[in-house]
Amino acid sequence: MSVHKKEIKRVTTHVLQAMKARKEKIAMLTAYDYSTARILDEAKIDVLLVGDSASNVMAGHETTLPITLDQMIYHASSVIRAVKRSLVVVDIPFGAYQGNSKIALDSAIRIMKESGAHSVKMEGGAEIRESIERVLSAGVPVMGHLGLTPQSIYKFGTYSVRAKEEAEAQKLIADAKLLEEIGCFAIVLEKIPASLGKKVSEILTIPTIGIGAGVNCDGQVLVTHDMLGITKDFNPRFIRRYLDLFDNIKGAVQHYIQDVKSEDFPSKDEQY
Ligand code: KIV
């Protein structure tokens, strides 16, 4: 019998479920464009999230609210063209699913049909139950998102840790159970106490993916621009920076400018 782990050819929602069952952690990162998605997919990231954080890191908006469904579909189709292995999840943006399950279904179908994505993500619990159920009824896999839900930032007022009080923690647990019961395949838990992340992960049979929700979640997600150090001024405790690309890229660009101005570039070998 081979001692080697079976190579995952294509990550599906079922693969994620099996990973939770065998206690193998799930690694998820964001991607919004072809070139980055290609690198992350080749590195064997399990899940690629076309997050509405594109509104912040790609477009420079202060919140995730302004990004449109058309823009999300553009980002998602660029990512999909690069991917051979990862499961691609796409955020349904603000205003494209809340409060009207028909709009939610139309948005999810547009994302799946026009981008070729594999699943969608929606923020919230009981208050969006009908929308999630309608999307699921069309055969579209849904990832939930609880805790700090950035599309509701104007309701919260701040980006501080959620569910520190017992009542909010209890609501989050009830919402998590509901999302599992109605058929979500996984849930992102954002910026909640690690003890609550652990509790929810133990209660649920579907995987939890944490961002600032502690080590006991079944997987972790970061915004790629944060972990690569492309963003500079956003420094919550939950980010680990693996590179300092902002300064590295800036240095390379300054070097290039110098080479152009001094006529060092192009050299004889770099021209025809
Ligand atoms: O949009 C996003 O990047 C997200 C992650 C922070 C989970 O929702």
Side-chain angles (χ1 to χ4, degrees):
M1 209 173 70
S2 165
V3 288
H4 296 294
K5 255 206 228 141
K6 208 168 151 228
E7 175 93 19
I8 297 170
K9 292 234 159 53
R10 182 115 227 174
V11 181
T12 63
T13 58
H14 301 278
V15 167
L16 298 186
Q17 185 69 60
M19 287 171 80
K20 169 152 182 157
R22 62 173 181 263
K23 296 189 176 357
E24 179 181 343
K25 297 282 182 175
I26 297 163
M28 170 161 140
L29 282 171
T30 58
Y32 321 107
D33 69 282
Y34 173 85
S35 303
T36 310
R38 206 166 151 219
I39 299 169
L40 303 185
D41 186 63
E42 268 200 39
K44 292 194 165 53
I45 194 77
D46 297 311
V47 185
L48 277 178
L49 171 66
V50 184
D52 57 3
S53 50
S55 178
N56 310 104
V57 294
M58 299 302 283
H61 292 296
E62 213 173 291
T63 72
T64 58
L65 276 67
I67 199 159
T68 65
L69 185 59
D70 283 335
Q71 288 165 341
M72 289 304 296
I73 290 170
Y74 167 77
H75 286 299
S77 47
S78 308
V79 166
I80 277 287
R81 283 192 283 275
V83 165
K84 292 196 171 78
R85 179 185 178 277
S86 314
L87 178 81
V88 177
V89 184
V90 182
D91 266 328
I92 309 188
F94 177 69
Y97 65 97
Q98 295 95 338
N100 184 327
S101 63
K102 173 72 172 72
I103 291 180
L105 179 63
D106 290 348
S107 302
I109 287 180
R110 277 202 62 203
I111 289 172
M112 302 295 281
K113 227 178 164 66
E114 295 176 37
S115 75
H118 311 135
S119 59
V120 299
K121 176 161 82 60
M122 295 158 82
E123 295 183 6
E127 55 298 340
I128 59 156
R129 176 188 187 144
E130 230 181 280
S131 291
I132 296 179
E133 283 182 321
R134 195 138 177 199
V135 172
L136 286 165
S137 74
V140 178
V142 177
M143 177 180 273
H145 185 153
L146 298 172
L148 178 66
T149 47
Q151 292 180 9
S152 308
I153 189 58
Y154 291 114
K155 183 175 101 185
F156 297 143
T158 76
Y159 284 98
S160 56
V161 179
R162 305 304 311 171
K164 287 208 299 208
E165 308 299 330
E166 187 57 20
E168 199 183 338
Q170 286 309 322
K171 169 155 172 32
L172 189 144
I173 292 170
D175 280 340
K177 286 181 179 168
L178 173 74
L179 295 184
E180 169 164 301
E181 191 186 304
I182 64 178
C184 288
F185 72 87
I187 303 177
V188 166
L189 297 176
E190 181 163 352
K191 224 171 172 188
I192 58 171
S195 55
L196 182 58
K198 180 171 190 283
K199 195 165 177 184
V200 174
S201 307
E202 284 168 357
I203 292 172
L204 298 188
T205 59
I206 57 170
T208 60
I209 315 281
I211 173 162
V215 72
N216 293 112
C217 292
D218 302 303
Q220 300 292 329
V221 56
L222 283 176
V223 168
T224 299
H225 288 62
D226 294 336
M227 61 85 79
L228 295 180
I230 298 172
T231 50
K232 219 178 160 51
D233 307 322
F234 181 60
N235 285 304
R237 185 200 294 200
F238 63 75
I239 293 177
R240 183 177 291 181
R241 298 213 191 264
Y242 289 82
L243 283 175
D244 180 16
L245 275 191
F246 187 102
D247 286 333
N248 283 346
I249 293 172
K250 187 172 153 191
V253 171
Q254 285 170 333
H255 196 165
Y256 167 74
I257 294 169
Q258 205 179 34
D259 286 352
V260 169
K261 306 244 177 225
S262 64
E263 295 183 10
D264 178 79
F265 177 80
S267 69
K268 260 205 211 131
D269 292 343
E270 290 161 327
Q271 58 194 4
Y272 299 97

